[in-house]
Amino acid sequence: MLRTLAVATLAVASLAAGPVRAEMDSVFGNTVVSRYPDGGWVKHWFNRDGTYAAQFSDGRRLAARWSVNGDRVCLTNMRPYMLVPRFCTDVVEAEIGQTWQARDPLGRRVQNVLIAGRTP
């Protein structure tokens, strides 16, 4: 089954950590993993400079730009080209090890977890 970007909902630790992109502090240097019911997964990495990378369980990789728009985070400029040119989702407050349910851009359910460090 073809998987598209599974960013779902992102984790954040604190909204008061600083003036620039503070709502994203907990994801920097860590990994958000989205798991599908069929066993597939997507690992998401966010960088302070606005770049994003993902790796799918089938080996595919994705690069994009991220930005915070109100209480949502959006991915744009996705490479390789995706069926969904822009994907936005609510920012969720979470800590390392915490899990939460969300949906991917096609509406499929995923379970997300914030993992300490950049897991390959």
Side-chain angles (χ1 to χ4, degrees):
M1 173 189 298
L2 177 65
R3 279 198 175 39
T4 61
L5 179 63
V7 162
T9 318
L10 302 178
V12 296
S14 171
L15 294 177
V20 179
R21 302 209 195 322
E23 62 274 12
M24 296 291 292
D25 274 352
S26 70
V27 297
F28 300 136
N30 296 312
T31 305
V32 176
V33 179
S34 298
R35 294 188 175 110
Y36 285 87
D38 68 0
W41 50 262
V42 181
K43 293 180 181 180
H44 311 275
W45 300 286
F46 293 83
N47 301 306
R48 289 186 188 278
D49 67 359
T51 58
Y52 162 89
Q55 179 179 347
F56 296 77
S57 54
D58 65 6
R60 288 179 299 126
R61 293 185 176 267
L62 179 76
R65 300 283 309 166
W66 68 267
S67 62
V68 174
N69 190 357
D71 61 351
R72 296 175 63 80
V73 62
C74 298
L75 295 179
T76 57
N77 296 31
M78 292 181 252
R79 302 285 183 260
Y81 175 78
M82 301 294 290
L83 295 174
V84 180
R86 176 181 169 97
F87 176 68
C88 297
T89 188
D90 292 339
V91 175
V92 171
E93 190 171 331
E95 296 178 9
I96 299 295
Q98 190 170 356
T99 63
W100 65 99
Q101 297 291 318
R103 293 192 181 267
D104 76 358
L106 296 181
R108 298 175 296 184
R109 292 182 188 264
V110 295
Q111 180 173 324
N112 295 315
V113 62
L114 181 61
I115 297 175
R118 294 281 172 123
T119 61

